[in-house]
mmCIF file of all heavy atoms in Angstrom:
data_model
loop_
_atom_site.group_PDB
_atom_site.id
_atom_site.type_symbol
_atom_site.label_atom_id
_atom_site.label_comp_id
_atom_site.label_asym_id
_atom_site.label_seq_id
_atom_site.Cartn_x
_atom_site.Cartn_y
_atom_site.Cartn_z
ATOM 1 N N LYS B 223 4.923 17.899 -23.557
ATOM 2 C CA LYS B 223 4.317 19.288 -23.179
ATOM 3 C C LYS B 223 3.943 19.128 -21.688
ATOM 4 O O LYS B 223 4.191 20.025 -20.971
ATOM 5 C CB LYS B 223 3.002 19.486 -24.023
ATOM 6 C CG LYS B 223 3.400 20.479 -25.136
ATOM 7 C CD LYS B 223 2.053 21.038 -25.567
ATOM 8 C CE LYS B 223 2.237 21.804 -26.979
ATOM 9 N NZ LYS B 223 0.935 22.104 -27.597
ATOM 10 N N PHE B 224 3.166 18.078 -21.359
ATOM 11 C CA PHE B 224 2.746 17.876 -20.024
ATOM 12 C C PHE B 224 3.828 18.041 -19.036
ATOM 13 O O PHE B 224 3.924 18.733 -18.116
ATOM 14 C CB PHE B 224 1.982 16.570 -19.957
ATOM 15 C CG PHE B 224 1.609 16.192 -18.553
ATOM 16 C CD1 PHE B 224 0.266 16.816 -18.050
ATOM 17 C CD2 PHE B 224 2.177 15.329 -17.659
ATOM 18 C CE1 PHE B 224 -0.168 16.603 -16.748
ATOM 19 C CE2 PHE B 224 1.709 15.041 -16.284
ATOM 20 C CZ PHE B 224 0.458 15.681 -15.914
ATOM 21 N N MET B 225 5.065 17.335 -19.278
ATOM 22 C CA MET B 225 6.166 17.321 -18.476
ATOM 23 C C MET B 225 6.794 18.671 -18.333
ATOM 24 O O MET B 225 7.233 19.065 -17.267
ATOM 25 C CB MET B 225 7.288 16.157 -18.842
ATOM 26 C CG MET B 225 6.695 14.767 -18.505
ATOM 27 S SD MET B 225 8.018 13.650 -19.138
ATOM 28 C CE MET B 225 9.241 13.799 -17.733
ATOM 29 N N ALA B 226 6.944 19.151 -19.510
ATOM 30 C CA ALA B 226 7.672 20.561 -19.558
ATOM 31 C C ALA B 226 6.799 21.646 -18.629
ATOM 32 O O ALA B 226 7.312 22.375 -17.911
ATOM 33 C CB ALA B 226 7.806 21.143 -20.893
ATOM 34 N N LEU B 227 5.584 21.456 -18.946
ATOM 35 C CA LEU B 227 4.756 22.523 -18.091
ATOM 36 C C LEU B 227 4.684 22.121 -16.718
ATOM 37 O O LEU B 227 4.788 22.973 -15.687
ATOM 38 C CB LEU B 227 3.286 22.337 -18.795
ATOM 39 C CG LEU B 227 2.178 23.222 -18.257
ATOM 40 C CD1 LEU B 227 2.647 24.703 -18.184
ATOM 41 C CD2 LEU B 227 0.858 22.918 -18.988
ATOM 42 N N ALA B 228 4.521 20.813 -16.380
ATOM 43 C CA ALA B 228 4.397 20.520 -14.922
ATOM 44 C C ALA B 228 5.743 20.796 -14.146
ATOM 45 O O ALA B 228 5.616 21.215 -13.035
ATOM 46 C CB ALA B 228 4.213 18.941 -14.835
ATOM 47 N N LYS B 229 6.748 20.701 -14.786
ATOM 48 C CA LYS B 229 7.996 20.937 -14.126
ATOM 49 C C LYS B 229 8.101 22.467 -13.684
ATOM 50 O O LYS B 229 8.600 22.821 -12.663
ATOM 51 C CB LYS B 229 9.230 20.702 -15.027
ATOM 52 C CG LYS B 229 9.751 19.349 -14.944
ATOM 53 C CD LYS B 229 10.957 19.046 -15.912
ATOM 54 C CE LYS B 229 10.988 17.556 -16.195
ATOM 55 N NZ LYS B 229 11.912 17.227 -17.208
ATOM 56 N N LYS B 230 7.564 23.272 -14.663
ATOM 57 C CA LYS B 230 7.440 24.777 -14.217
ATOM 58 C C LYS B 230 6.485 24.903 -13.157
ATOM 59 O O LYS B 230 6.808 25.747 -12.165
ATOM 60 C CB LYS B 230 6.979 25.572 -15.528
ATOM 61 C CG LYS B 230 8.188 26.013 -16.358
ATOM 62 C CD LYS B 230 7.583 27.123 -17.299
ATOM 63 C CE LYS B 230 8.210 26.808 -18.639
ATOM 64 N NZ LYS B 230 7.270 27.263 -19.550
ATOM 65 N N ILE B 231 5.325 24.367 -13.303
ATOM 66 C CA ILE B 231 4.235 24.709 -12.288
ATOM 67 C C ILE B 231 4.709 24.211 -10.868
ATOM 68 O O ILE B 231 4.552 24.946 -9.895
ATOM 69 C CB ILE B 231 2.915 23.895 -12.575
ATOM 70 C CG1 ILE B 231 2.509 24.530 -13.985
ATOM 71 C CG2 ILE B 231 1.911 24.277 -11.622
ATOM 72 C CD1 ILE B 231 1.087 23.883 -14.454
ATOM 73 N N THR B 232 5.254 22.889 -10.739
ATOM 74 C CA THR B 232 5.555 22.505 -9.439
ATOM 75 C C THR B 232 6.639 23.279 -8.681
ATOM 76 O O THR B 232 6.922 23.066 -7.542
ATOM 77 C CB THR B 232 5.889 20.889 -9.395
ATOM 78 O OG1 THR B 232 7.131 20.801 -10.371
ATOM 79 C CG2 THR B 232 4.758 20.122 -10.002
ATOM 80 N N GLN B 233 7.291 24.054 -9.421
ATOM 81 C CA GLN B 233 8.314 25.036 -8.750
ATOM 82 C C GLN B 233 7.616 25.998 -7.851
ATOM 83 O O GLN B 233 8.069 26.405 -6.837
ATOM 84 C CB GLN B 233 9.152 25.828 -9.837
ATOM 85 C CG GLN B 233 9.998 25.082 -10.746
ATOM 86 C CD GLN B 233 10.950 24.247 -10.033
ATOM 87 O OE1 GLN B 233 11.630 24.655 -9.077
ATOM 88 N NE2 GLN B 233 11.384 23.148 -10.618
ATOM 89 N N LYS B 234 6.335 26.106 -8.087
ATOM 90 C CA LYS B 234 5.582 27.214 -7.229
ATOM 91 C C LYS B 234 4.307 26.635 -6.680
ATOM 92 O O LYS B 234 3.999 27.070 -5.648
ATOM 93 C CB LYS B 234 5.184 28.360 -8.193
ATOM 94 C CG LYS B 234 6.359 29.123 -8.594
ATOM 95 C CD LYS B 234 6.069 30.412 -9.354
ATOM 96 C CE LYS B 234 7.327 31.126 -9.731
ATOM 97 N NZ LYS B 234 6.922 32.085 -10.896
ATOM 98 N N LYS B 235 3.659 25.697 -7.441
ATOM 99 C CA LYS B 235 2.403 25.303 -6.893
ATOM 100 C C LYS B 235 2.386 23.624 -6.929
ATOM 101 O O LYS B 235 2.755 23.054 -7.967
ATOM 102 C CB LYS B 235 1.285 25.684 -7.874
ATOM 103 C CG LYS B 235 1.238 27.132 -7.944
ATOM 104 C CD LYS B 235 0.102 27.616 -8.913
ATOM 105 C CE LYS B 235 0.117 29.176 -9.068
ATOM 106 N NZ LYS B 235 -0.856 29.820 -9.806
ATOM 107 N N PRO B 236 2.088 23.024 -5.730
ATOM 108 C CA PRO B 236 1.964 21.624 -5.733
ATOM 109 C C PRO B 236 0.823 21.088 -6.746
ATOM 110 O O PRO B 236 -0.183 21.675 -6.888
ATOM 111 C CB PRO B 236 1.711 21.292 -4.361
ATOM 112 C CG PRO B 236 1.214 22.434 -3.603
ATOM 113 C CD PRO B 236 1.783 23.566 -4.553
ATOM 114 N N VAL B 237 1.276 19.979 -7.523
ATOM 115 C CA VAL B 237 0.267 19.402 -8.402
ATOM 116 C C VAL B 237 0.038 17.877 -7.948
ATOM 117 O O VAL B 237 0.908 17.134 -7.753
ATOM 118 C CB VAL B 237 0.726 19.435 -9.878
ATOM 119 C CG1 VAL B 237 -0.151 18.748 -10.831
ATOM 120 C CG2 VAL B 237 0.908 20.928 -10.295
ATOM 121 N N VAL B 238 -1.221 17.446 -7.796
ATOM 122 C CA VAL B 238 -1.569 16.150 -7.374
ATOM 123 C C VAL B 238 -2.302 15.543 -8.476
ATOM 124 O O VAL B 238 -3.322 15.959 -8.854
ATOM 125 C CB VAL B 238 -2.346 16.149 -6.052
ATOM 126 C CG1 VAL B 238 -2.640 14.751 -5.680
ATOM 127 C CG2 VAL B 238 -1.665 16.872 -4.943
ATOM 128 N N VAL B 239 -1.824 14.326 -8.881
ATOM 129 C CA VAL B 239 -2.560 13.712 -9.979
ATOM 130 C C VAL B 239 -3.018 12.362 -9.555
ATOM 131 O O VAL B 239 -2.400 11.430 -8.938
ATOM 132 C CB VAL B 239 -1.583 13.401 -11.117
ATOM 133 C CG1 VAL B 239 -2.266 12.532 -12.238
ATOM 134 C CG2 VAL B 239 -1.289 14.744 -11.857
ATOM 135 N N LEU B 240 -4.323 11.922 -9.780
ATOM 136 C CA LEU B 240 -4.814 10.678 -9.866
ATOM 137 C C LEU B 240 -5.021 10.201 -11.274
ATOM 138 O O LEU B 240 -5.757 10.709 -12.002
ATOM 139 C CB LEU B 240 -6.153 10.677 -9.061
ATOM 140 C CG LEU B 240 -6.811 9.272 -9.139
ATOM 141 C CD1 LEU B 240 -6.064 8.094 -8.487
ATOM 142 C CD2 LEU B 240 -8.298 9.350 -8.480
ATOM 143 N N LYS B 241 -4.292 9.159 -11.656
ATOM 144 C CA LYS B 241 -4.178 8.702 -12.968
ATOM 145 C C LYS B 241 -5.050 7.396 -13.013
ATOM 146 O O LYS B 241 -4.736 6.348 -12.254
ATOM 147 C CB LYS B 241 -2.831 8.462 -13.519
ATOM 148 C CG LYS B 241 -2.596 7.640 -14.735
ATOM 149 C CD LYS B 241 -2.832 8.459 -15.977
ATOM 150 C CE LYS B 241 -2.362 7.649 -17.278
ATOM 151 N NZ LYS B 241 -2.881 6.261 -17.335
ATOM 152 N N ALA B 242 -5.988 7.197 -13.822
ATOM 153 C CA ALA B 242 -6.799 6.065 -13.927
ATOM 154 C C ALA B 242 -6.381 5.236 -15.067
ATOM 155 O O ALA B 242 -5.587 5.732 -15.952
ATOM 156 C CB ALA B 242 -8.253 6.416 -14.148
ATOM 157 N N GLY B 243 -6.661 3.997 -15.209
ATOM 158 C CA GLY B 243 -6.220 3.034 -16.227
ATOM 159 C C GLY B 243 -4.741 2.491 -15.872
ATOM 160 O O GLY B 243 -4.103 2.256 -16.860
ATOM 161 N N ARG B 244 -4.450 2.448 -14.704
ATOM 162 C CA ARG B 244 -3.123 2.013 -14.352
ATOM 163 C C ARG B 244 -2.859 0.509 -14.574
ATOM 164 O O ARG B 244 -1.803 0.030 -14.960
ATOM 165 C CB ARG B 244 -2.767 2.303 -12.863
ATOM 166 C CG ARG B 244 -2.636 3.713 -12.559
ATOM 167 C CD ARG B 244 -2.090 3.936 -11.111
ATOM 168 N NE ARG B 244 -3.067 3.427 -10.195
ATOM 169 C CZ ARG B 244 -2.828 2.704 -9.074
ATOM 170 N NH1 ARG B 244 -1.512 2.590 -8.806
ATOM 171 N NH2 ARG B 244 -3.603 2.275 -8.243
ATOM 172 N N SER B 245 -4.045 -0.259 -14.655
ATOM 173 C CA SER B 245 -3.762 -1.681 -14.816
ATOM 174 C C SER B 245 -3.956 -2.117 -16.273
ATOM 175 O O SER B 245 -3.721 -3.228 -16.647
ATOM 176 C CB SER B 245 -4.719 -2.373 -13.878
ATOM 177 O OG SER B 245 -6.095 -2.163 -14.426
#
Side-chain angles (χ1 to χ4, degrees):
Chain B
K223 257 196 196 167
F224 179 78
M225 284 181 74
L227 183 55
K229 271 179 206 172
K230 265 193 233 157
I231 299 177
T232 57
Q233 297 297 327
K234 291 188 183 157
K235 305 177 181 185
V237 177
V238 182
V239 168
L240 173 60
K241 165 83 165 53
R244 290 187 300 140
S245 65

